[in-house]
Each structure stands twice: as C-alpha cells, then as structure tokens.
Amino acid sequence: MSVPESHPFARLTPEVVLDALSGVGLPVDGRLMGLNSYENRVYQAMLDEGEPVVAKFYRPERWSEAQLREEHTFSTELSAEDIPMVSPRLLQADTLHPLQVPVEDGSVIRFWFSVCPRRGGRRPELDDPQVLEWIGRFLARIHEVGARRPFQHRPVLTLQSHGVEPIE
C-alpha cells in the first residue's frame, strides 16, 4: 500500500531520514530498512561503527512535544528501575529531536523523532505459569513507577476516545 503524495510521511524519504540522523551526530553508513509500525515511521539505520539504531519519526500533529517528552521521561524511569524497556538515546543532550521538511508551496512539515538502540524481542510463552507470573510482576512495577507522579499531558484512555472515535 503506497502513501498518498499529500500525506506528510510521503516527504520522509530515505535521504531525509539519513540526513536527520546525521544531524544528531550519528555516523550512518547509508543502509536503512523500514520497520513495521501502525502509526509512526520506524527505521533501522546502520552506522559506520557499532550497533544499528532504530529511529522513530512520530506522525505529525498526533502527539504534542509535551506528550512525547513525558513518555520519554517515563520510559527512562522504567529503564532505571530495571524494567526491560528500550528508551530513547540521549543525543545532543536530548531524546526528542525536531525535523522540518520543506514542501513545494513554501510551508514545512514538522516531525519529531527519537533514536533508540536496536533490541530484539521474543514472544512470551503464555502457557507457562512462571512466565505469566513474571509478566504480572513487571506490570505491577510499571504501574508503581507510573503512580509516582501524575501524567499531565497523556490523553486519558476512554471507550469514547479509543473505541468509538476510531471506529467512526
């Protein structure tokens, strides 16, 4: 399925992605692979040296800068508590980076992006009671970290906002 030319992601070409990564100090070698993502654009980029990274370009106007920063802070807190979480890397003293892509009419499309280390995952064995117990402990710890301070910018999850409205 192709992206319509009018969609902001149509402007996110491989050259634009690689330039953005170079712009935050990553020595990309030109190899780039798109990864699956329902809502954003996510790429694996190979570096001249070291492990590949995963770059996530957030859908324009979907999340505010404040919401993204709050989520990055939360993921960093989870990682600090030894909860298996892949947090965005700190590059140029920040985890969230702006990217402005010019459009033919003189306007610009503003993307936010982050870069994470590449980490593999695996599907848990849900038939194993010990695995379920392990997952339950991690969920409890995630909620414990999340309860330390209220989220100010995260949208509230409701049936209307995450059920009825998407269907409509």
Side-chain angles (χ1 to χ4, degrees), residues 13-32:
T13 64
E15 294 81 10
V16 169
V17 171
L18 291 168
D19 286 347
L21 296 175
S22 292
V24 294
L26 292 172
V28 292
D29 73 3
R31 292 179 290 165
L32 190 66

Side-chain angles (χ1 to χ4, degrees), residues 21 24-26 89-97 113-115:
L21 296 175
V24 294
L26 292 172
R89 286 180 52 180
L90 192 63
L91 299 169
Q92 297 183 336
D94 207 346
T95 61
L96 188 63
H97 309 282
F113 73 97
S114 62
V115 179

Side-chain angles (χ1 to χ4, degrees), residues 25-70:
L26 292 172
V28 292
D29 73 3
R31 292 179 290 165
L32 190 66
M33 180 174 65
L35 302 175
N36 292 334
S37 177
Y38 177 73
E39 186 165 310
N40 303 299
R41 288 298 179 264
V42 181
Y43 303 91
Q44 175 181 282
M46 305 302 281
L47 304 180
D48 286 336
E49 293 182 11
E51 293 292 317
V53 295
V54 173
K56 182 179 198 177
F57 290 80
Y58 299 96
R59 188 175 79 182
E61 300 179 21
R62 174 68 171 100
W63 303 106
S64 70
E65 178 182 1
Q67 288 171 319
L68 293 169
R69 289 191 182 284
E70 188 172 64

Side-chain angles (χ1 to χ4, degrees), residues 79-125:
S79 292
E81 294 292 331
D82 292 325
I83 294 170
M85 172 76 185
V86 180
S87 296
R89 286 180 52 180
L90 192 63
L91 299 169
Q92 297 183 336
D94 207 346
T95 61
L96 188 63
H97 309 282
L99 173 65
Q100 293 192 27
V101 179
V103 181
E104 293 80 20
D105 66 6
S107 64
V108 297
I109 298 172
R110 183 179 181 124
F111 292 94
W112 288 105
F113 73 97
S114 62
V115 179
C116 296
R118 181 183 69 174
R119 296 288 182 263
R122 62 180 173 80
R123 183 174 43 157
E125 296 295 329

